[in-house]
Amino acid sequence: MFELRPDASPPLVNQIINGLRDAIENQTLKPGAKVPSIRAFAAKYSVSTFTVVEAYDRLVAQGLLVSRGTAGFFVNRAAGDLLEAQASEPDTAKPAFNSEWYLQQIFESRQLAFKPGCGWLPNDWMFEDGLRRGLRQVASSVLELSGYGDPMGLAELRTLTAQNLQQDLRIVVPPNQLMLTHGASQALDLAVRTLVRPGDVVLVDDPGYPNLMSILRFQGATLVGVPRTPNGYDLDHLQRLLEQYRPSVFFTQPHLHSPTCTRTPLVQLHRLLQLATQHDFRLVENNLYADMIEEPLPCLTSLDQLQQVVYVGSYSKSISPNVRVGYMLANPELMQQLLQLKMRSGLTTSQVMERVVYAAITDGRWRKHLKRLRQRLAEAHQEVGRQLARLGFERFIDSDEGMYIWTRHPAIPDSAALLDDALDQGIMLGPGQLFMVDSQATGWMRFNVAFSTDPALWEQLEKLLVKHVRAVKDR
Amino acid sequence: MFELRPDASPPLVNQIINGLRDAIENQTLKPGAKVPSIRAFAAKYSVSTFTVVEAYDRLVAQGLLVSRGTAGFFVNRAAGDLLEAQASEPDTAKPAFNSEWYLQQIFESRQLAFKPGCGWLPNDWMFEDGLRRGLRQVASSVLELSGYGDPMGLAELRTLTAQNLQQDLRIVVPPNQLMLTHGASQALDLAVRTLVRPGDVVLVDDPGYPNLMSILRFQGATLVGVPRTPNGYDLDHLQRLLEQYRPSVFFTQPHLHSPTCTRTPLVQLHRLLQLATQHDFRLVENNLYADMIEEPLPCLTSLDQLQQVVYVGSYSKSISPNVRVGYMLANPELMQQLLQLKMRSGLTTSQVMERVVYAAITDGRWRKHLKRLRQRLAEAHQEVGRQLARLGFERFIDSDEGMYIWTRHPAIPDSAALLDDALDQGIMLGPGQLFMVDSQATGWMRFNVAFSTDPALWEQLEKLLVKHVRAVKDR
């Protein structure tokens, strides 16, 4: 049908895709025709079945092929119309390096061998058993499928979450001030849309959470970064910022802050709340990683009890990000606004999924799962710490809790310069630039310890480092 | 402990709640103390266990009681702090009648006996079997819990949805132009935030979808209503509006439009698209009820193929609103923006739930379920039509498809005037005022046929009608 050149560019997968597209376009492959089986194609062209699977999958995603299960793959009868429609569209070229684009790549590149830059946990670290039992339990229970469920979210899960917060963090809150959301991300988005008006100056941690910065900018906010130190906040600096900018809100993650994994001392939390009163700004506290802290650790909301603080939490890190169940707490008046916006912008959250989460965390094995998770993270911290030290990396803090190590190498002034070479080796890094409020180049980078224990990764990184240092010297 | 007066106001449930709150406040019931069992309480005060269950549940929601399963109910150890915190808060009084408030009531009032005003289907009309089998199937399959899943949503479900759209509506679209969302509501919200800037004039159907109007107003849009006629649009009127207001977008539901359940003739769809080209505005087509139409019925997107149209669909009406799986289609450039906003504002949708939906619709019984659903709706239309005719109601159109009948009674110039009396009888009506762009009083009201077949409802409504007519005469 066509010729493949394994040693030429573009990569084989793309050669197959282009070849089949051409064959469909010039009707060598007719609408509705069966295409060769994956195995037959691989044999005929002497390529791996993996390569063919990848090519066929992408052609299915483009709508040109249709998969009919065991019957095989067929040319979509409407493939001609699709090709015609695409021909009339302008090419959306891959944008130059920018955070938005890189963040999307992180979520999309599932083929990569190493993902030290990602923000989640490996499959077998998640609460799979609990979730599976939860799904089974819900499947055999009486399903309430009618209606949209409680606007605030499943009552049982709210009550239990409130009880856990009371027990662990001394946050005393009735369940009717706790709203379930579609992950912590929806909670943050609702807070942004409710509290921030276009033109407002808003404080965020610097470095901080890229997705939050992105949604704040989309809302029209001007962002001012509050520098993160190894010991929490720089409160003197914050005070100057407050006087200069009069911000309306500070979105912050006091404990296991991403990307640095630092904590904030109690005395600073207290002082920060005093500043919020004096300078009349609100705090949105993101406590996403609370379950990764061994002992109960008071947070802003533990002190403030929702006077000035909105609290955001999630089950993404302790059960699975895939369940998309988070929650937020606010004072009654603000909660009413948040609830109305939640209903306007997506109606209720999925009560079926909330039941599954409820079943999972009342399963009796959840606390044990969390303990084991913290243990594995601590072990991974040790291992990754050794590797970083071996290669001469410097760390922001010395700790073994949470998911991340924030680190830099004296020979790498700009960690983003490593990205392309790393991607070629199948490595997705977490360049510090992504997390900086003003997107400036930086040597810092974030390692997710759970995805960084494979010695093969460190062999590759060592080679990259050597190559990079040599290239810098040669210049 | 305290005295209950069954014949006095407030209702018994509230008397119990108030009594127990007082007992907790003055420490007759100490923190951590066990409260009487539901059965014991009911026996002691000679009230029904149902009343006690309701009161205890609400106290749990307020955080004052804690349920410990079979051990019973206990006073929350932090109840004192909660009461103190609440005492210092201003009362958020029930607002005067407004759509926002009433809409929330609709979602919250699950105790009501009759809900002709609601917008969903009864439990046993949903695809419960399929969903249950889907949950079981996913529970025993390999779960991908790591990561957030594909930003666009589960690839298999996108591919299948695209194939169904191609087959049923001749919308030819590759799966990578179809994004899964958290219900159609999120899809509409993403479209609003991407396409509408504060100050823009936006067209909507009048009457139309209250939640959509609400989110558009929140975005700062000025709404102009396009009157809905029994035969679709009034295109002459629309043309005048276009010349007068120069709108940027028209959000519309051509087929089985809510609340009127009207269709739009093909020739009007064609003409509307021509107007969109001439006057340079976009169309967002909400085809939420597509599965309730027997034969394939071309829609705006069938003609336009995403040149000017964004398409929104959902599995809420045909599987369950509780799964929260909807989808949207747009041209590649716009889809890129919608995807970025989806990721910013809530990251991915729940891949677990998307797998469940995929399993449900590939179950082999889904098409049969849809057929049976349409049949039941047609039968309910007949029955409700008879009752409306018997009481002298007038209908907007004579049809037996979809969920709603839009109707009015010559003796009721303002259907909202019936609301309070109806609520007293346990009936939640759908007053037309909710659906009007300018919220003006109107005699029209929306009946959800699936919730309106009980003869007892019509006995109550007849009494209400007689009472109302007499009251009007007496004035």
Side-chain angles (χ1 to χ4, degrees), chain B residues 43-80:
Chain B
K44 182 169 174 193
Y45 289 97
S46 308
V47 292
S48 83
T49 53
F50 179 82
T51 306
V52 186
V53 167
E54 174 79 16
Y56 280 20
D57 273 356
R58 288 209 217 155
L59 286 164
V60 168
Q62 292 167 16
L64 297 179
L65 295 188
V66 175
S67 161
R68 296 223 185 91
T70 49
F73 291 85
F74 296 80
V75 177
N76 185 350
R77 293 193 178 279

Side-chain angles (χ1 to χ4, degrees), chain A residues 37-56:
Chain A
S37 74
I38 287 165
R39 197 178 291 221
F41 192 104
K44 180 167 174 193
Y45 289 98
S46 308
V47 292
S48 82
T49 52
F50 180 82
T51 306
V52 186
V53 166
E54 174 80 17
Y56 280 21

Side-chain angles (χ1 to χ4, degrees), chain A residues 261-275:
Chain A
C261 248
T262 47
R263 291 178 171 206
T264 303
L266 192 58
V267 60
Q268 286 195 11
L269 297 180
H270 171 64
R271 182 81 190 102
L272 176 57
L273 287 166
Q274 284 183 323
L275 288 172

Side-chain angles (χ1 to χ4, degrees), chain A residues 123 132 139 141 145 214 344, chain B residues 123 132 139 141 145 214 344 351:
Chain A
N123 217 12
R132 202 184 287 284
S141 69
L145 303 179
S214 176
R344 279 177 189 137
Chain B
N123 217 13
R132 202 183 287 282
S141 68
L145 303 179
S214 177
R344 279 178 189 137
Q351 196 150 326

Side-chain angles (χ1 to χ4, degrees), chain A residues 253-266:
Chain A
Q253 191 167 37
H255 296 317
L256 294 201
H257 162 262
S258 169
T260 65
C261 248
T262 47
R263 291 178 171 206
T264 303
L266 192 58

Side-chain angles (χ1 to χ4, degrees), chain A residues 188-261:
Chain A
L188 288 172
D189 186 47
L190 293 175
V192 167
R193 294 169 81 182
T194 304
L195 299 176
V196 179
R197 296 278 72 84
D200 281 2
V201 173
V202 170
L203 300 179
V204 292
D205 297 328
D206 190 13
Y209 181 37
N211 215 44
L212 170 68
M213 297 183 209
S214 176
I215 198 74
L216 279 164
R217 290 206 169 98
F218 187 77
Q219 181 74 2
T222 302
L223 303 193
V224 173
V226 178
R228 197 75 198 180
T229 78
N231 304 309
Y233 301 107
D234 177 346
L235 289 174
D236 291 337
H237 189 100
L238 173 61
Q239 190 144 18
R240 287 193 298 275
L241 294 177
L242 293 172
E243 280 152 17
Q244 187 176 351
Y245 294 106
R246 314 193 141 275
S248 58
V249 200
F250 180 13
F251 286 80
T252 185
Q253 191 167 37
H255 296 317
L256 294 201
H257 162 262
S258 169
T260 65
C261 248

Side-chain angles (χ1 to χ4, degrees), chain A residues 61-62 76 120-121 123 132 139 141 144-147 166 174-175 182 189 193 214 320 322 324 344 346 348 350-351, chain B residues 61-62 76 120-121 123 132 139 141 144-147 166 174-175 189 193 214 320 322 324 344 346 348 350-351:
Chain A
Q62 291 167 15
N76 186 349
W120 55 86
L121 290 168
N123 217 12
R132 202 184 287 284
S141 69
E144 287 166 40
L145 303 179
S146 177
Q166 187 177 310
H182 184 76
D189 186 47
R193 294 169 81 182
S214 176
S320 159
N322 243 299
R324 312 302 303 122
R344 279 177 189 137
T348 52
S350 168
Q351 196 150 328
Chain B
Q62 292 167 16
N76 185 350
W120 55 85
L121 290 168
N123 217 13
R132 202 183 287 282
S141 68
E144 286 166 41
L145 303 179
S146 177
Q166 187 177 309
D189 186 47
R193 293 170 83 182
S214 177
S320 159
N322 243 300
R324 312 301 303 122
R344 279 178 189 137
T348 52
S350 169
Q351 196 150 326

